[in-house]
Amino acid sequence: MYKIELSPEDLLRIIFDYTAKIASEQKLNAVLVLMANMGREMILSDRCTVWLIDDANHQLYTTVAHGVDEIRIPYGTGLVGSAIQSGEPIIIEDAYNDPRHNAENDRKTGYHTKSIITVPFRNNDGEIIGAYQAINKLTEIGYFTTRDLDMLSLAASYAGKSLESVMLHQEIIDTQREIISTMGEIGEIRSKETGNHVKRVAEYSYILALGLGLGVNQAELLRTASPMHDIGKVAIPDAVLNKPGKLTAEEYDIIKSHTNIGYQLLKGSKRELLRTASIVAEQHHEKWDGSGYPSGRKGEEIHIFGRITAVADVFDALSAERVYKAAWPLEKIENLFREERGRHFDPDVVDVFFAQLPKLLDIRQRLTDEAGE
Ligand code: C2E
Ligand code: SIN
Ligand code: SIN
Ligand code: FE
Ligand code: FE
């Protein structure tokens, strides 16, 4: 039942396996889980956690291995907090003999913490950015040794360097997402489309993309890009955009130009995200039967992202009140999608729309305009 210490060969294999996996992973949560697993296997502990510092909120946080839940504790608390503050590792044979141990968690979970090892780690500039913490040694002696400290320090020095680059990558992605959403909202405010239109369209598009089998990466790409679908409306005069009644043919032509304008604004970028956004801006008013605008593309000549956003956008436009129309009841919306299946809309997307309708309605409920931000 006790484990025996690993041979140097076993250790090397673990390190090579995990570092290869970690190097090809760009999602912070996934990297944290891999690192926790690597630490646990290297030093034969029952549990292992990688903690990071959240400077903005003065907290330490971690993603629990194998789960999506996050744990957060105030900066400086617990053993992990002490180790991070002092910059020194801590090894403890029995946590209950140490006043820094926070027994609250044990009480909540029914787990019994005995031995603990905590090793802080640094980024490339030498600043402490987090700590490894392992709990309960699984060998017969039952506590961690200086050999474990060497091992975990090795893992920690690797963790510090790779986590920093993953966090920077994540930071860039988050920033791009924020910029795009903000730009989308600028268009939205101009056209008096209250609150959350672009966010809802993004979430609907994501669900529809997954339902069509596009894969998580493509679905996330679309979710990030689709809030810009109406960005071209920034160039449409207020008098037209916010006209309370029906549009004249000339006014409608002016509004239609928001597709080409959006495309022109975004198409020059080398970034995949902005190029994707340019396609969505250009093609979200094309129709499956070729009667849409600006180009009259037909069927699969319309990019799948355009065909998806068309359904998401119209579902949201009909669900909401506009200066020129009341919100539609769900039944009337469903009838329109049934009628327009294979005319305005790609029949496959409409099928997924109906299959996923409960989820879409959840989103609509959660992101009501009253809920605001
Ligand atoms: P929007 O209000 O966000 O509507 C997006 C799309 O949802 C519309 O694209 C249309 O396909 C669908 N949709 C919206 N309301 C209705 C409706 O009452 N009935 C039906 N069958 N479909 C509807 P569309 O038509 O190309 O319009 C693009 C944008 O032009 C609209 O965005 C809106 O900003 C503007 N617009 C269209 N018609 C009018 C209008 O009569 N008055 C004003 N002020 N603006 C209009
Ligand atoms: C902590 O470091 O606060 C959690 C581990 C413990 O003290 O039990
Ligand atoms: C909107 O969906 O916000 C306006 C309609 C459109 O042009 O897409
Ligand atoms: Fe549009
Ligand atoms: Fe829209």
Side-chain angles (χ1 to χ4, degrees), residues 187-188 191 193 197-198 201 229-230 233 241 255-256 258-259 284-285 293 309 312-314 316-317 322 324:
E188 180 178 83
S191 61
E193 280 151 16
H197 168 65
V198 294
V201 170
H229 68 273
D230 279 334
K233 283 184 176 175
L241 198 56
I255 286 208
K256 284 176 173 173
H258 79 279
T259 50
H284 71 279
H285 288 293
Y293 61 89
T309 306
D313 185 35
V314 172
D316 201 62
R322 291 278 198 264
Y324 65 94

Side-chain angles (χ1 to χ4, degrees), residues 33-75:
V33 170
L34 284 170
M35 287 186 169
N37 290 349
M38 175 168 80
R40 183 175 61 182
E41 287 187 35
M42 283 170 77
I43 64 171
L44 303 171
S45 68
D46 188 38
R47 298 186 169 186
C48 186
T49 318
V50 178
W51 292 85
L52 293 173
I53 301 174
D54 174 357
D55 276 320
N57 294 305
H58 238 71
Q59 287 176 327
L60 305 175
Y61 68 98
T62 182
T63 312
V64 184
H66 319 125
V68 285
D69 292 354
E70 229 180 47
I71 301 179
R72 292 184 163 267
I73 59 176
Y75 188 84

Side-chain angles (χ1 to χ4, degrees), residues 113-269:
T113 300
K114 190 159 187 296
S115 52
I116 299 187
I117 180 168
T118 298
V119 180
F121 53 79
R122 297 167 190 272
N123 65 11
N124 291 312
D125 298 329
E127 295 154 355
I128 293 181
I129 58 167
Y132 252 112
Q133 175 161 283
I135 296 183
N136 288 353
K137 181 80 178 178
L138 296 175
T139 59
E140 194 169 2
I141 60 166
Y143 55 84
F144 298 100
T145 62
T146 53
R147 183 173 186 266
D148 294 318
L149 178 58
D150 290 343
M151 291 303 141
L152 208 56
S153 299
L154 183 67
S157 70
Y158 179 71
K161 295 192 174 75
S162 21
L163 275 174
E164 184 172 42
S165 73
V166 173
M167 286 161 85
L168 286 174
H169 178 78
Q170 187 68 42
E171 173 85 17
I172 291 166
I173 299 287
D174 290 348
T175 306
Q176 284 179 346
R177 195 163 277 161
E178 214 168 282
I179 291 171
I180 286 175
S181 185
T182 307
M183 285 174 70
E185 279 166 23
I186 292 170
E188 180 178 83
I189 290 161
R190 284 273 338 283
S191 61
K192 297 232 173 84
E193 280 151 16
T194 39
N196 288 323
H197 168 65
V198 294
K199 284 183 197 138
R200 287 189 301 261
V201 170
E203 297 305 320
Y204 299 152
S205 301
Y206 179 72
I207 298 291
L208 294 174
L210 286 181
L212 284 161
L214 285 192
V216 175
N217 288 341
Q218 288 296 297
E220 286 188 354
L221 179 61
L222 177 60
R223 173 161 68 182
T224 311
S226 64
M228 296 233 256
H229 68 273
D230 279 334
I231 191 66
K233 283 184 176 175
V234 297
I236 308 296
D238 269 327
V240 177
L241 198 56
N242 296 321
K243 178 175 170 178
K246 256 216 122 4
L247 301 172
T248 65
E250 294 74 32
E251 288 166 338
Y252 193 34
D253 281 341
I254 294 172
I255 286 208
K256 284 176 173 173
S257 71
H258 79 279
T259 50
N260 279 326
I261 293 167
Y263 175 66
Q264 296 299 332
L265 277 173
L266 298 164
K267 70 161 201 235
S269 174

Side-chain angles (χ1 to χ4, degrees), residues 78-80 101-102 116 133:
L79 284 161
V80 67
H101 169 61
N102 177 2
I116 299 187
Q133 175 161 283

